[in-house]
Amino acid sequence: MDLKDRKPNEKNISKNKHFIYSLDFAITGLKTAFKDERNFRFHCFALVVVCVLGIVMRLSIIEWIWILLSATLVIVMELVNTSLENLVDMITNYHFHPLGKKVKDMGAGLVLVQAIFALIVGLLIFVPKFYEWIVK
């Protein structure tokens, strides 16, 4: 059955024509990731901790930009990885497939590379501030 053959009053079956519907789907996706994905919750928690630390350490605007950019990209990569994993599971019907494993491993690699970058950015920004705070 094609989308054009369905009744217009059926929900969630055609292209979103209103921004509010798209926003609702996006928020639902974030809620689902937060509820279902342990690593997503961990990264969100880490972002909150880093933000509190940034307020305490009085980060400059440029430091905030780097911290928020790198942390947000970790969360984005986690969402991409989760999407890839779900897509592979759907296509393979939860059966092992070597190509599915490759896709899942590379998705996990996305998150790892970005998390390492975020860690380096965090260390470059916070270590000197901690040192300054301890020496005072």
Side-chain angles (χ1 to χ4, degrees):
M1 175 188 261
D2 289 326
L3 287 177
K4 63 184 175 190
D5 296 332
R6 295 185 182 168
K7 296 176 186 164
N9 62 351
E10 290 182 38
K11 284 189 160 190
N12 302 334
I13 60 165
S14 63
K15 183 147 178 73
N16 302 323
K17 294 194 167 64
H18 299 286
F19 173 76
I20 198 74
Y21 294 139
S22 296
L23 186 61
D24 183 51
F25 292 137
I27 291 169
T28 299
L30 291 173
K31 286 179 184 176
T32 301
F34 193 84
K35 183 181 74 134
D36 294 348
E37 298 298 323
R38 179 196 63 217
N39 289 340
F40 185 79
R41 287 191 302 272
F42 172 79
H43 293 303
C44 289
F45 174 73
L47 176 58
V48 170
V49 169
V50 166
C51 286
V52 169
L53 198 55
I55 291 167
V56 170
M57 295 291 176
R58 299 178 186 218
L59 297 182
S60 71
I61 292 294
I62 297 298
E63 291 168 330
W64 272 114
I65 289 170
W66 279 103
I67 290 292
L68 293 176
L69 177 64
S70 58
T72 300
L73 284 173
V74 171
I75 290 171
V76 168
M77 293 302 155
E78 190 63 53
L79 288 168
V80 169
N81 181 44
T82 298
S83 298
L84 289 171
E85 288 177 352
N86 285 315
L87 186 59
V88 166
D89 289 343
M90 182 181 72
I91 290 170
T92 63
N93 200 24
Y94 295 96
H95 291 96
F96 176 80
H97 192 282
L99 287 176
K101 180 184 181 335
K102 279 185 176 181
V103 171
K104 286 184 170 191
D105 290 349
M106 286 186 261
L110 282 170
V111 181
L112 179 62
V113 167
Q114 183 54 42
I116 290 169
F117 175 75
L119 178 64
I120 291 168
V121 168
L123 290 172
L124 289 172
I125 290 172
F126 285 112
V127 167
K129 293 196 176 292
F130 277 120
Y131 179 76
E132 217 176 90
W133 184 64
I134 291 171
V135 170
K136 278 185 178 179

